Amino acid sequence: MSIVVQKYGGSSVADVEKIHRVAAKVVATRERGHDVVVVVSAMGKTTDELLGLAHAVDPSPPRRELDMLLSTGERISMALLSMAIQKRGVDAISFTGSQSGIITNDRHFDARIIDVRPHRVEDELARGRVVIVAGYQGMSYKREITTLGRGGSDTTALAMAAALGAEHAEIYSDVDGVYSADPRVAPDATHLPELSYDEMQEMAESGAKVLHAKAVEFARQHRIAIRARSTFLESGKETVVHEGVEPGEQVRAVVGQKGLARVSFDDGGEKVGFALGHLRKAGVVSRDLRTADGRTELLVVTAQTPDWEKNAKALRADFGATIEEGFGAVSAIGGAGDPALALVETLAGEGLAPTELIVTPVRVTVVLPEADTDAAVRAAHARLVG
Ligand code: ASP
Ligand code: MG
C-alpha cells in the first residue's frame, strides 16, 4: 500500500470545526486505500501567542524553555485531530516529534533534523492506523526537546516522507499553492503550477512563507515532489515543486521580507570569524553575508531570532559590530535575463531608493527601508513578472 504524507498548517486546524473537516479529508484518503501519515501545525496563531507569553516574561527568553513551551502547540492539534479521526470510526494515534523518531542537533528554536527513525510510525501504520505527527519539533541527540524554526512543520512532513519512502508530500494550507508574489501584497500575483527546487528554496530563504526552506532542501535531497494545495478551497489548483523544471528567461517571483537588521563589522579579519561563530552557535538566523573592502555585512532576520535583544548587545559589546534595524529586502527570483538593472530602474522610478543590491545567479535582492518593502514588491512584480 502506498504511503501518503499530508501536512496541515495552522489555519487548517484553527478551530474544532476545521479539525473535523481535516479529519474527514484524512479519512477519505485512508478509504482510498493509502497508509496515511498526517503532520499538523499548532492551531491558528497558537505559536505566536506562546511566543508572546514567553516574551512577556523575558524579552530574550532562554531557548531551551522556549522549545518546551512552543512544542506544546502542535501537541494540542495532534491529539485533537486524532480524536476527531477516531470519532469517525477510523483507528488513529498521535505522536510527538520525539516519539516519531525525529532526531535533531542541539540548536534550540532553529534545530536541524539529523536523522529520522520512524519505527513507531511504521509499526502503527502496519496495524492499520492513521498516524498523526506533531510538526515543528524533534528531540536532540542529548534527548532535549527542540523546535525546527518558524514554519518548521513542512520540514517534519518532508523528513517523514523521506524516511518512509513516500514519493511526494502534500502540504495543505489556506492558499492553493505558490504565487508569483504574496497575493495580499500584490493582488495581481499569478498562480505558479510548478517550480524547481532551486527556485522554491530561494523564495523560501528570501522570506516567502508558503514553504519552509529546509523542507525544500529535504525534498531536493531525496527527490520527493512537494504538492502545495489548499485545504478547503476547491480551486483545483496546486503547485508542484520538483526537479526538471527549466529555468525561464523571465523572473519567476518577487518576494519581500521585513524585520531585517543590518549587522556590519569594520574589519574582515579574525574578530569577524569569532562573531560569525557566535552567531551560528547562538542560532541567530541571518542571510546574505558579504565582504567588500575589508567590511563584512549580513542581514539578521529578527523575527526568527527570539533572543535578538541579547545577541545584539553581545555583538556590539564583544565584537564591535554596528547594528542598524528597520530594513526590508525585496528579491526577484529566477530570470536568466539579468533582472538587476530593470529592478533598480523600476524602484528608482517609484522614488524607492535601495541602500544595497545583492546579485546571485538565481536571485537579485535589494535592501531598503522596511516601510518601503510592500510598495517595492508591487512595483517589481508589475515590471518583472506581471
Ligand atoms: N507552529 C509553528 C509556527 O507557527 C510551526 C509551523 O506552523 O509550521 O511556526
Ligand atoms: Mg504555525
Side-chain angles (χ1 to χ4, degrees):
M1 210 157 29
S2 73
I3 293 182
V4 172
V5 176
Q6 300 183 330
K7 178 255 170 175
Y8 292 92
S11 60
S12 304
V13 291
D15 56 39
V16 169
E17 189 253 342
K18 288 187 173 134
I19 287 175
H20 276 300
R21 285 166 72 190
V22 166
K25 281 186 72 112
V26 171
V27 167
T29 310
R30 173 84 193 113
E31 280 168 357
R32 283 197 291 274
H34 299 291
D35 278 343
V36 189
V37 175
V38 184
V39 175
V40 280
S41 291
M43 293 171 72
K45 299 261 168 260
T46 302
T47 308
D48 290 327
E49 286 159 15
L50 293 172
L51 204 48
L53 268 179
H55 280 135
V57 174
D58 179 351
S60 281
R63 287 190 176 212
R64 178 191 182 276
E65 305 309 330
L66 209 44
D67 280 353
M68 293 302 251
L69 180 70
L70 298 180
S71 59
T72 63
E74 273 71 11
R75 266 196 189 218
I76 295 171
S77 42
M78 76 178 195
L80 293 176
L81 181 61
S82 179
M83 291 175 197
I85 291 170
Q86 291 180 54
K87 189 162 188 295
R88 288 173 181 264
V90 171
D91 228 357
I93 184 168
S94 65
F95 284 139
T96 64
S98 71
Q99 288 175 313
S100 311
I102 300 201
I103 313 295
T104 71
N105 65 7
D106 64 348
R107 196 167 67 198
H108 285 289
F109 196 80
D110 191 36
R112 182 172 270 276
I113 296 175
I114 53 178
D115 197 12
V116 182
R117 300 171 194 157
H119 313 299
R120 293 194 69 184
V121 174
E122 287 165 332
D123 287 352
E124 296 299 341
L125 289 175
R127 290 196 178 98
R129 291 187 168 138
V130 171
V131 178
I132 324 293
V133 173
Y136 175 56
Q137 55 183 275
M139 182 178 71
S140 76
Y141 55 83
K142 294 178 179 165
R143 297 190 151 262
E144 291 281 12
I145 299 300
T146 51
T147 63
L148 306 177
R150 295 306 306 272
S153 300
D154 294 339
T155 301
T156 305
L158 267 299
M160 286 309 302
L164 297 169
E167 54 187 54
H168 72 262
E170 299 169 5
I171 305 290
Y172 290 92
S173 69
D174 52 0
V175 285
D176 52 5
V178 183
Y179 280 70
S180 56
D182 183 342
R184 283 164 300 195
V185 177
D188 56 346
T190 50
H191 182 266
L192 301 170
E194 59 175 1
L195 280 168
S196 68
Y197 292 124
D198 267 346
E199 291 164 335
M200 190 62 241
Q201 198 168 343
E202 282 293 333
M203 283 180 74
E205 281 169 358
S206 302
K209 296 213 175 70
V210 274
L211 282 171
H212 202 228
K214 282 185 244 171
V216 184
E217 208 180 296
F218 251 102
R220 179 214 303 266
Q221 269 166 16
H222 298 273
R223 303 265 170 257
I224 299 167
I226 302 177
R227 298 182 165 272
R229 300 169 174 172
S230 161
T231 312
F232 302 124
L233 269 177
E234 300 288 342
S235 74
K237 288 188 215 161
E238 64 172 348
T239 298
V240 187
V241 183
H242 62 134
E243 53 183 350
V245 180
E246 291 297 319
E249 263 302 294
Q250 228 196 350
V251 168
R252 195 79 80 175
V254 174
V255 179
Q257 185 170 45
K258 294 179 187 171
L260 300 174
R262 181 153 63 194
V263 179
S264 47
F265 304 92
D266 273 331
D267 79 289
E270 204 180 34
K271 207 161 177 186
V272 173
F274 288 132
L276 297 179
H278 167 84
L279 289 175
R280 181 169 324 117
K281 230 175 121 218
V284 172
V285 177
S286 69
R287 54 179 280 196
D288 290 317
L289 169 70
R290 57 218 177 270
T291 299
D293 296 333
R295 204 178 155 74
T296 304
E297 277 187 20
L298 51 89
L299 297 167
V300 168
V301 188
T302 58
Q304 290 174 35
T305 307
D307 44 8
W308 172 233
E309 210 179 88
K310 185 176 83 190
N311 281 292
K313 225 182 258 171
L315 283 170
R316 284 198 192 95
D318 304 341
F319 302 102
T322 304
I323 299 175
E324 304 154 277
E325 310 232 8
F327 287 99
V330 173
S331 303
I333 314 292
D338 189 14
L341 185 61
L343 178 59
V344 172
E345 270 176 11
T346 305
L347 297 183
E350 297 287 318
L352 302 165
T355 60
E356 243 172 311
L357 179 69
I358 298 156
V359 182
T360 80
V362 270
R363 147 174 86 92
V364 179
T365 295
V366 292
V367 181
L368 70 190
E370 181 170 29
D372 292 341
T373 312
D374 288 349
V377 167
R378 277 189 291 274
H381 183 268
R383 167 76 188 272
L384 300 172
V385 187

